[in-house]
Amino acid sequence: MDAILGILIGIVCGWGLFAYYQTLKQKQLVDSQSTILLDKIKTVCRLITVEGDFAEIYHYQDVKQRLLKMVSSRKKALVVINAKAHVGFDLSKIVLRANNSKKKIILEKFPQPEVLSIETNLNYYDKSDGLFNKFDASDLTGLQKEAKLHIKDKIPESGLIQAAQKEALEAVLLIETIVETIGWKLDYSDLKIEESKMAEIQ
């Protein structure tokens, strides 16, 4: 009897250790899955939803004065700016939380659309140097910066931001697809305010 009892106790202990090991292994797998999901979503990082083309004429001039402002020298140029602006979402700014026990990713905060990049191509016309005020490399670099700022100032009235807001739900659904690739669920019920905004602009 003692031998049989010992065998039974051994079987029970062995099964208990095996069950504990499996539970621990499953927990590590779930923890690993949630980490992979969060990293995968952050890897997408910047999501461009809309782009706009701009063609603007920019008048540039610079005046330098000498001899107590009695002599001036003017350099000027007519600049045609062709630009492409990309507007979308910086997904590194989203706030995510993992519920490992329910295999759920909770989306707590979603960023507002913003200008992600502006690509400019400048063509110079009617460019003329002054007597002691000539164009140099620093002027052209400065013109590139001014051109981007000029286009950036035009974006709010272009409707690109509003167009990107309409695509916000599509961005959330993309994240949901990523989450579902390994059998998890995305919970964005906390985004009630953002969702109501989406409904208003659709």
Side-chain angles (χ1 to χ4, degrees):
M1 286 293 293
D2 290 341
I4 295 174
L5 184 60
I7 292 171
L8 289 174
I9 291 173
I11 291 172
V12 171
C13 291
W15 181 84
L17 288 171
F18 175 76
Y20 174 75
Y21 173 76
Q22 288 296 105
T23 302
L24 186 62
K25 188 176 179 182
Q26 180 64 26
K27 184 178 184 302
Q28 289 174 342
L29 176 63
V30 170
D31 288 345
S32 176
Q33 283 181 328
S34 66
T35 302
I36 290 171
L37 276 176
L38 296 177
D39 289 343
K40 197 172 182 181
I41 292 167
K42 292 292 179 70
T43 300
V44 178
C45 199
R46 291 188 169 193
L47 179 64
I48 295 171
T49 56
V50 295
E51 65 178 30
D53 293 311
F54 294 83
E56 296 283 331
I57 296 176
Y58 183 68
H59 294 273
Y60 171 83
Q61 69 173 4
D62 178 78
V63 178
K64 286 186 178 179
Q65 296 178 321
R66 299 278 178 86
L67 300 175
L68 300 175
K69 299 184 179 181
M70 296 177 62
V71 179
S72 64
S73 180
R74 183 193 311 268
K75 61 184 175 187
K76 63 178 183 176
L78 180 66
V79 185
V80 176
I81 307 169
N82 291 298
K84 188 180 293 291
H86 298 115
V87 177
F89 304 93
D90 185 351
L91 297 186
S92 66
K93 294 180 180 179
I94 65 176
V95 178
L96 297 167
R97 179 168 53 87
N99 185 328
N100 293 339
S101 62
K102 295 183 179 179
K103 285 194 173 184
K104 184 186 293 183
I105 297 293
I106 296 93
L107 179 55
E108 297 181 335
K109 181 180 178 183
F110 195 80
Q112 292 296 314
E114 59 185 86
V115 179
L116 299 178
S117 67
I118 300 174
E119 301 169 3
T120 55
N121 180 34
L122 274 58
N123 294 308
Y124 300 91
Y125 299 92
D126 192 26
K127 189 173 82 166
S128 60
D129 293 317
L131 181 63
F132 54 83
N133 188 12
K134 301 183 183 299
F135 279 95
D136 57 26
S138 63
D139 291 318
L140 301 181
T141 301
L143 271 171
Q144 286 280 357
K145 291 180 179 178
E146 287 183 33
K148 286 194 174 184
L149 288 174
H150 181 72
I151 296 300
K152 191 172 183 179
D153 289 340
K154 295 285 182 179
I155 289 175
E157 61 193 54
S158 70
L160 287 177
I161 298 294
Q162 291 82 355
Q165 286 175 332
K166 292 181 181 180
E167 300 296 327
L169 184 56
E170 292 297 322
V172 173
L173 294 177
L174 172 63
I175 295 173
E176 185 174 38
T177 301
I178 293 173
V179 169
E180 288 177 349
T181 56
I182 59 172
W184 284 52
K185 294 290 184 183
L186 179 69
D187 180 359
Y188 49 94
S189 57
D190 288 342
L191 293 178
K192 291 178 181 176
I193 296 177
E194 285 77 3
E195 285 181 344
S196 65
K197 286 181 180 177
M198 288 179 204
E200 289 172 5
I201 60 180
Q202 282 181 341

